[in-house]
Amino acid sequence: MRIFIGVLFSVLMLWGSDATIEVRKSVDSLPSIAVEDASSDYQDGLSKRFFRVLVGDLNVLSIFNVDRDYATADFEKEDVADLHKEIDYVVRYRLVEDNGVMIVNVKLINNDKVMHTIDYRIKNPRQYVFLVHTIAAEINDFMGADPVDWMKEKVVISRTTGPRVSEILITDYTLSYQFSIKKNGLNIFPKWADKAKKYLYYTALTNGVPELHKYGIYDKSDVLILKSDGMLVCSDVSDDGNRLLLSMAPKGQPDIYEYDVQNRKLKRLTRYSGIDVNAQYLADDKIAFISNRFGYPNVFAKKIGSDAVEQMVYVGKSNSACSAHNNYIVYKARESSNAFSKNTFNLHLISTKTDFIRRLTVTGINEYPLFSRDGGTVLFVKKYKNQSSVGVIRLNQNKNYLFPLTGGDIQSIDW
Amino acid sequence: MKALLFTGSLVAILTLAGCSGTGPVVEDTTEGTSQPEEISIVDESSAADTEAGIVSTDLDSGIVTLESIEAKIVPIYFAFDKYNLEDEDIETLRTNVEIVKGDTAAMKIADQYTLKLEGNCDEWGSDEYNFALGLKRANAVKEELINDGIEANRITMVSYGSSSPVCTEKTQECWSKNRRVDFKLLP
């Protein structure tokens, strides 16, 4: 079986070397996998919630056909449950309570043989979701598939619950874990401030004047960084965390600025009479950004300090948001001029090195595209039929997954 | 209206001057001439805080108040994805200005208020571009007010993007009500 999977992934890698080329493969060719719950503790439903999140993660790995039926088993036995005899792989887990600490034992079984074991301890069982994601990523690595480290990342969203009312939540990519850190007022556009994700920037509009704050999710510090009339959004943070790209408009003119965190200096990077926003750092001291300088929003790039501006996207009538990773840009494009159309805004992927373009979504309003650090996955926000969801696109696997939010709308997201 | 917003506005102007003096100082790299400057950050106090004592009176008493003036002002509405003013919008703006002029003159406080323009969008997208679109709508109104002789220093702006809807139904008519600029009078 592993040889088969190896051949399969070799083929996928060959075709997937350009992510703008859509890979189609038969779901039936994937090995099957099932999950068995061997927990005796945590009968309050935690072990079943653990099951559901793990099944969902295995599905998102996109390397298995996942059996979703709940089953129990004896953890110590090597043979699998009768209903799983025809299944290629079984993940069996056991949750054990030990003086408030949750111990998690996991086995990956193939043909009644234990192929891999995983053991963890977690002090706060409420955060079990992140542990499940870690386990899924480890199974993925064991199978030799494309890395999915992004699964383990903390995600931050702003959720609007009414006019001028929103809260900022720390969550995971499935929205299974939710922890509110800012509840009162209008707090929007959260953006992680550092790779360790101990701090984040956000815009507070609570007092009617846009303010950029830096918030510590562990020490709960909240520092006002800047104020600006009009609008003020942190669009991107440099890899070292020392520079911010801001969309701001101190005199009513939305342009892109760069803020040096250490010496508190602000540079104006664009100077156009229309709209310049949503800047992203590219390699070689360049930025990509959204501008309506040709009469409609589109993706442009420029070198910091240079006047020359380069158009990056030539397809789409109205491209109002983007994310960049190496030679790839994923952008939001308006598909229809009819606001009532089902496919109003879709995401597209282009390579700056080729002419290929690939549409990543089909229906609804799809926005806030964000590449994972490895560039293999895109996270986004989807609004469709009064439902707001987090979407995950596995580019090389050609798979999309949605995780709906219960209550409210997702205003913005960062991971 | 010009007289209303111009005459005797020393207090308001001084207040606003104090705010703008502590705002970010910007280096414009596209011109390549200006040098980076240190900026003073987060030590501002708002105009509203420093103008304590000028507040609205009882809404139900029949006395003219800030809220009652605002209630008479008609928002300016915009087409989908647009931020330009049509001729009829300019007429509406002038009517608004006359309302504010007459009422605040009656209150004898015409020189003590700042006009705040709030730009808004419909629900089609909540990203940065839409916040900028809301701001450009507010700025279009601001420029027209300045053309009418109102001092720029007396006008502030903020964009709420799609986060401040007045209508939440999923209809074209409802969305058109949310593509607007609201007017607020600040002490």
Side-chain angles (χ1 to χ4, degrees):
Chain A
M1 179 54 70
R2 295 190 65 187
I3 294 173
F4 168 76
I5 293 172
V7 172
L8 173 68
F9 273 91
S10 298
V11 172
L12 290 179
M13 289 297 289
L14 181 65
W15 283 95
S17 57
D18 185 340
T20 59
I21 298 174
E22 188 169 322
V23 179
R24 294 198 178 277
K25 60 185 185 328
S26 168
V27 173
D28 294 337
S29 64
L30 298 176
S32 56
I33 194 167
V35 178
E36 296 177 352
D37 181 4
S39 308
S40 56
D41 298 342
Y42 295 105
Q43 294 306 306
D44 58 349
L46 178 59
S47 68
K48 285 194 175 180
R49 295 198 298 275
F50 195 98
F51 174 89
R52 285 194 293 271
V53 177
L54 183 54
V55 164
D57 275 356
L58 293 173
N59 195 40
V60 173
L61 293 182
S62 307
I63 58 174
F64 298 111
N65 274 328
V66 183
D67 185 309
R68 293 177 173 275
D69 291 333
Y70 178 78
T72 57
D74 184 334
F75 189 77
E76 300 301 337
K77 287 186 177 178
E78 290 207 342
D79 56 326
V80 300
D82 288 343
L83 73 164
H84 292 154
K85 290 296 184 187
E86 302 300 318
I87 299 287
D88 296 312
Y89 290 90
V90 167
V91 177
R92 184 180 295 160
Y93 68 89
R94 178 176 64 187
L95 310 184
V96 180
E97 198 272 334
D98 182 15
N99 290 325
V101 174
M102 187 169 79
I103 299 170
V104 182
N105 308 119
V106 182
K107 290 177 178 175
L108 179 64
I109 302 169
N110 174 229
N111 292 330
D112 289 340
K113 290 183 180 176
V114 176
M115 307 294 292
H116 188 58
T117 60
I118 305 168
D119 299 299
Y120 281 101
R121 295 168 64 88
I122 180 168
K123 289 182 180 177
N124 184 359
R126 214 173 90 77
Q127 297 181 351
Y128 77 93
V129 172
F130 291 101
L131 181 56
V132 177
H133 299 333
T134 301
I135 290 167
E138 190 165 331
I139 292 171
N140 180 78
D141 292 345
F142 177 78
M143 300 298 290
D146 289 351
V148 289
D149 290 340
W150 52 266
M151 266 190 176
K152 301 180 278 186
E153 298 280 341
K154 288 194 291 283
V155 176
V156 61
I157 66 170
S158 171
R159 172 170 67 178
T160 56
T161 53
R164 300 192 190 184
V165 180
S166 68
E167 65 177 333
I168 293 177
L169 302 170
I170 305 296
T171 179
D172 68 309
Y173 83 98
T174 68
L175 302 177
S176 300
Y177 173 86
Q178 295 183 10
F179 183 77
S180 177
I181 58 170
K182 278 283 163 188
K183 276 187 176 174
N184 299 319
L186 183 56
N187 303 297
I188 51 180
F189 293 114
K191 179 69 71 177
W192 291 113
D194 53 356
K195 285 184 177 175
K197 297 188 173 178
K198 293 182 177 177
Y199 295 89
L200 57 83
Y201 296 100
Y202 71 96
T203 298
L205 272 170
T206 305
N207 299 319
V209 178
E211 298 176 342
L212 182 69
H213 289 240
K214 186 176 184 180
Y215 182 81
I217 65 170
Y218 296 110
D219 61 18
K220 296 182 173 53
S221 58
D222 195 329
V223 179
L224 177 57
I225 304 295
L226 283 172
K227 280 184 179 179
S228 174
D229 204 25
M231 69 177 291
L232 176 53
V233 178
C234 178
S235 309
D236 199 14
V237 180
S238 63
D239 282 345
D240 60 9
N242 290 331
R243 295 177 297 156
L244 314 181
L245 287 172
L246 308 177
S247 294
M248 59 186 288
K251 295 181 180 177
Q253 176 52 50
D255 273 309
I256 294 163
Y257 295 73
E258 187 179 53
Y259 180 71
D260 188 312
V261 174
Q262 294 186 329
N263 62 24
R264 294 183 161 195
K265 288 178 181 171
L266 199 61
K267 293 178 187 176
R268 186 176 180 181
L269 301 186
T270 65
R271 190 180 185 84
Y272 167 61
S273 60
I275 294 173
D276 286 341
V277 290
N278 193 200
Q280 314 277 310
Y281 282 110
L282 301 176
D284 304 325
D285 226 17
K286 289 178 71 177
I287 58 169
F289 61 101
I290 301 296
S291 174
N292 70 340
R293 57 191 62 212
F294 288 166
Y296 59 92
N298 203 358
V299 185
F300 294 83
K302 67 173 289 184
K303 197 171 183 66
I304 293 176
S306 167
D307 288 343
V309 173
E310 176 186 4
Q311 183 176 346
M312 302 300 289
V313 174
Y314 291 89
V315 179
K317 290 174 288 189
S318 180
N319 311 322
S320 58
C322 71
S323 177
H325 182 270
N326 293 337
N327 296 323
Y328 292 101
I329 294 174
V330 58
Y331 64 95
K332 167 190 172 187
R334 198 174 82 207
E335 295 279 311
S336 167
S337 297
N338 178 6
F340 292 93
S341 170
K342 284 185 178 177
N343 61 342
T344 311
F345 291 97
N346 277 310
L347 300 182
H348 296 73
L349 179 72
I350 60 163
S351 165
T352 58
K353 302 293 184 185
T354 70
D355 294 331
F356 289 119
I357 182 169
R358 178 174 153 197
R359 192 167 79 170
L360 301 176
T361 59
V362 179
T363 58
I365 298 174
N366 303 278
E367 54 189 348
Y368 285 105
L370 295 163
F371 274 109
S372 58
R373 287 188 200 281
D374 61 19
T377 301
V378 173
L379 192 76
F380 67 103
V381 174
K382 186 183 194 78
K383 292 171 185 170
Y384 185 56
K385 291 186 176 178
N386 299 327
Q387 178 72 64
S388 188
S389 305
V390 168
V392 173
I393 302 171
R394 304 292 314 280
L395 293 173
N396 290 335
Q397 291 73 23
N398 193 31
K399 293 276 192 180
N400 288 18
Y401 304 93
L402 290 177
F403 302 93
L405 177 72
T406 302
D409 284 327
I410 300 171
Q411 184 273 329
S412 62
I413 189 168
D414 192 31
W415 74 346
Chain B
M1 181 62 197
K2 291 177 185 175
L4 154 71
L5 292 174
F6 272 133
T7 46
S9 58
L10 184 59
V11 174
I13 289 172
L14 286 175
T15 303
L16 289 165
C19 289
S20 60
T22 55
V25 177
V26 173
E27 176 192 8
D28 185 347
T29 59
T30 59
E31 293 183 339
T33 52
S34 55
Q35 295 298 312
E37 296 181 46
E38 292 287 347
I39 60 171
S40 175
I41 302 167
V42 307
D43 54 353
E44 303 174 64
S45 57
S46 70
D49 290 340
T50 56
E51 285 290 302
I54 304 173
V55 294
S56 59
T57 53
D58 187 357
L59 269 174
D60 298 327
S61 66
I63 299 172
V64 177
T65 64
L66 288 182
E67 289 86 348
S68 66
I69 299 172
E70 286 176 2
K72 296 179 184 177
I73 301 175
V74 179
I76 303 297
Y77 296 99
F78 292 81
F80 184 70
D81 207 17
K82 302 294 183 188
Y83 54 84
N84 58 296
L85 291 173
E86 304 291 343
D87 289 344
E88 61 201 67
D89 301 321
I90 294 171
E91 287 302 313
T92 304
L93 261 181
R94 287 177 178 152
T95 303
N96 286 343
V97 167
E98 291 304 318
I99 290 170
V100 175
K101 177 182 177 182
D103 285 354
T104 54
M107 295 172 71
K108 298 181 180 178
I109 53 173
D111 56 345
Q112 300 176 50
Y113 289 90
T114 297
L115 189 58
K116 185 179 184 185
L117 305 175
E118 298 178 348
N120 297 277
C121 300
D122 59 28
E123 67 179 54
W124 295 99
S126 59
D127 50 32
E128 290 178 40
Y129 186 84
N130 283 277
F131 269 75
L133 183 61
L135 183 62
K136 291 295 284 185
R137 288 170 176 166
N139 201 47
V141 171
K142 177 182 178 180
E143 287 179 357
E144 189 58 34
L145 292 174
I146 292 171
N147 287 341
D148 277 353
I150 297 174
E151 287 179 335
N153 282 347
R154 300 201 62 178
I155 306 171
T156 65
M157 294 184 293
V158 65
S159 175
Y160 285 106
S162 60
S163 63
S164 186
V166 293
C167 184
T168 56
E169 296 169 15
K170 308 295 181 186
T171 65
Q172 189 72 268
E173 183 184 10
C174 186
W175 293 325
S176 67
K177 292 178 182 173
N178 293 331
R179 297 190 294 262
R180 72 194 192 280
V181 171
D182 290 329
F183 298 74
K184 303 291 179 189
L185 291 173
L186 301 178

